[in-house]
Amino acid sequence: MTGEWHGRAVCVAGAGISGRAAARVLAERGARVTVVDARDDEALRDKLALPGVTVRLGDGETLPDGTDLVVTSPGWRPDAPLLAAAAKAGVEIIGEVELAWRLRGPGAAPWLAITGTDGKTTVVRMLACMLEAAGHRTLAVGNVGTPIVEAVTGDGAEPYDVLAVELSSFQLHWSGSVRPYAATVLNVAPDHIDWHGSLEAYAADKGKIFAPGTLAVVNADDEWSLRLGERAERSVGFTLGSPRAGQLGVVEDLLVDRAFTGDPAREAAELAELADVRPYAPHNVANALAAGALARAFGVPAEAVREGLRRFTPDPHRIELIATVRDVAYVNDSKATNPHAAAASLAAYQPIVWIAGGLLKGADVDELVRSCAGRLRGAVLMGRDRAQIATALARHAPNVPVVDVADTDTGAMDRVVAAATALARPGDTVLLAPVGASFDMFAGYPARGEAFAAAVRRLTAS
């Protein structure tokens, strides 16, 4: 394996966590590695002080002379000057995920892979819990947690039995030979169109996860997942309805498997109860079914699926109940950064005082507002693109009171929460489901969610 990389001139484009991991692993295998990034600061240079690695910071556009392979960060667009220069020169461009696949040794752990516009992190963590409950040594990797090159190389460590791999559309774009054991496309909705160029190109990159030989786990309730699964050699499905043979689904208050039984036409296996899914919401039940399907594909027994769901601890900022104050629930779903995610969150509650706004990234919110108008008690809008949401509310929910908070200072969230509280009645839910990205006001969606939670806690203390 070392010989394959020895002496190769590799440019690692991007000095983030995955880029640094790729540089280290390649240098250990004898490659001549140059890390390139437009950023340049002392802290970054300290992180890149790796044996055998040349660092070029402050210039993210020029392809180093003699490069015969580029390993790119998933955040770099295909039209970035360095990548465009590499493509023009006929230099192969891959991502860290593709590199990890090529670095796998004999008998390497199979991958159970997850992609989709929304729900990826929840599903990969649910899946890891199910695999652990079945006694497998596993790890959640990819777009979450440990860089995947570190998981597959694991020099000196006990090997994993199986990896739960979260893959973004960016990572899949730069992957050509990855062949998961089983994989799912949870859903596809408009997102990152500025990067991919079109919804069709975005979906096509998602669909690369259904590689030849991979068992495709298809969301029977999602048009794009179904369409992408049509080309798969083998497939099973999951649905929030009653499952047919070859599917997992819901029967009354049970999650049921009719795909991985001895006779799917006549037999069903009870996997869990709806009460085992936390937090409960329709889209999170779909997440549990997707994770269960991947686990069952790997031979995990039904009781381990149930135990895995019970062990699962939801990540913060995903339909997270912060507090109930005077019979009003305050829920943080700051991770709902696009219309598809916000729609799933809004469908879980009623009546709602909706806190929304941020950077819409070109997304159309008209259909979202039309679909949720009947659930709204009121709306409080913040952030740069709040006017677009206000226009949609005026068109589709003209009787819903709207409060516009133009402030962007550190105390803005307190005023947002106060305005939402004034609109709410006992039995309502104040829901932060912003639709937009957070970078107009916050360092990221976690910072926005933490600001909301802190404002709610101050409210409870008053």
Side-chain angles (χ1 to χ4, degrees):
M1 183 62 67
T2 301
E4 179 183 347
W5 300 98
H6 187 78
R8 293 198 69 177
V10 182
C11 171
V12 174
I17 293 173
S18 64
R20 297 196 300 270
R24 180 186 61 78
V25 168
L26 285 166
E28 288 173 352
R29 282 152 178 75
R32 295 182 289 114
V33 180
T34 302
V35 178
V36 173
D37 201 295
R39 297 173 295 161
D40 188 0
D41 59 66
E42 187 174 347
L44 186 59
R45 287 187 176 274
D46 288 343
K47 292 176 182 178
L48 289 166
L50 303 169
V53 175
T54 301
V55 178
R56 195 189 74 193
L57 301 182
D59 176 9
E61 298 190 354
T62 308
L63 183 70
D65 292 340
T67 297
D68 62 39
L69 177 70
V70 173
V71 178
T72 181
S73 159
W76 286 44
R77 290 168 53 129
D79 59 359
L82 185 150
L83 302 185
K88 184 177 181 180
V91 175
E92 185 181 19
I93 305 169
I94 64 173
E96 183 233 357
V97 170
E98 175 70 16
L99 174 65
W101 186 261
R102 298 184 186 186
L103 287 169
R104 296 161 74 246
W111 293 10
L112 301 175
I114 298 103
T115 196
T117 302
D118 297 302
K120 298 184 293 297
T121 299
T122 296
V123 173
V124 80
R125 295 201 186 283
M126 284 180 170
L127 174 59
C129 288
M130 294 172 186
L131 293 166
E132 288 171 353
H136 295 296
R137 186 168 190 269
T138 190
L139 190 66
V141 297
N143 200 39
V144 59
T146 303
I148 195 166
V149 292
E150 293 184 356
V152 300
T153 53
D155 298 335
E158 182 184 350
Y160 293 101
D161 300 321
V162 58
L163 294 176
V165 184
E166 177 185 337
L167 298 177
S168 70
S169 58
F170 306 149
Q171 291 169 317
L172 286 162
H173 179 86
W174 300 113
S175 299
S177 65
V178 174
R179 300 289 185 267
Y181 181 89
T184 187
V185 176
L186 300 171
N187 45 63
V188 177
D191 201 14
H192 304 303
I193 304 305
D194 54 345
W195 198 98
H196 293 275
S198 68
L199 175 59
E200 289 71 21
Y202 170 62
D205 280 333
K206 292 285 191 190
K208 291 174 71 175
I209 206 168
F210 291 153
T214 297
L215 174 66
V217 175
V218 174
N219 183 352
D221 301 330
D222 184 88
E223 179 183 353
W224 270 109
S225 184
L226 280 170
R227 190 185 306 182
L228 295 170
E230 288 175 353
R231 68 174 190 169
E233 298 169 3
R234 301 177 298 134
S235 67
V236 298
F238 64 93
T239 175
L240 289 176
S242 181
R244 301 193 305 268
Q247 293 183 334
L248 285 74
V250 178
V251 178
E252 297 180 349
D253 64 344
L254 300 177
L255 276 61
V256 171
D257 171 14
R258 291 191 62 198
F260 301 100
T261 63
D263 184 356
R266 296 179 178 84
E267 295 178 6
E270 176 185 327
L271 299 179
E273 298 178 2
L274 289 176
D276 294 319
V277 180
R278 296 173 298 108
Y280 176 81
H283 67 284
N284 215 32
V285 175
N287 290 338
L289 289 166
L294 291 168
R296 295 285 281 166
F298 194 67
V300 168
E303 56 270 21
V305 172
R306 183 193 300 265
E307 178 60 25
L309 287 175
R310 290 175 174 174
R311 292 183 186 183
F312 169 69
T313 301
D315 282 0
H317 315 299
R318 292 164 171 83
I319 53 174
E320 175 188 15
L321 177 64
I322 301 301
T324 300
V325 185
R326 291 182 284 278
D327 203 27
V328 174
Y330 291 79
V331 175
N332 167 23
D333 198 7
S334 184
K335 184 64 171 65
T337 57
N338 60 62
H340 183 265
S345 189
L346 288 159
Y349 304 97
Q350 186 174 351
I352 298 164
V353 178
W354 181 27
I355 297 174
L359 301 173
L360 294 181
K361 302 174 290 184
D364 184 353
V365 296
D366 244 42
E367 177 57 27
L368 167 66
V369 172
R370 186 199 63 75
S371 66
C372 74
R375 313 179 79 85
L376 299 180
R377 175 82 68 197
V380 181
L381 305 181
M382 63 178 181
R384 192 189 72 181
D385 293 339
R386 64 190 186 281
Q388 186 176 334
I389 304 172
T391 299
L393 283 164
R395 182 180 299 117
H396 299 292
N399 298 320
V400 171
V402 177
V403 177
D404 184 285
V405 179
D407 306 344
T408 58
D409 59 273
T410 54
M413 189 62 83
D414 286 281
R415 292 183 279 280
V416 167
V417 169
T421 300
L423 292 172
R425 301 177 188 174
D428 289 358
T429 296
V430 172
L431 175 64
L432 174 66
V435 191
S438 57
F439 300 112
D440 56 334
M441 293 176 63
F442 301 94
Y445 77 82
R448 177 171 59 190
E450 287 157 9
F452 173 77
V456 171
R457 292 186 185 109
R458 283 189 286 271
L459 177 70
T460 63
S462 62

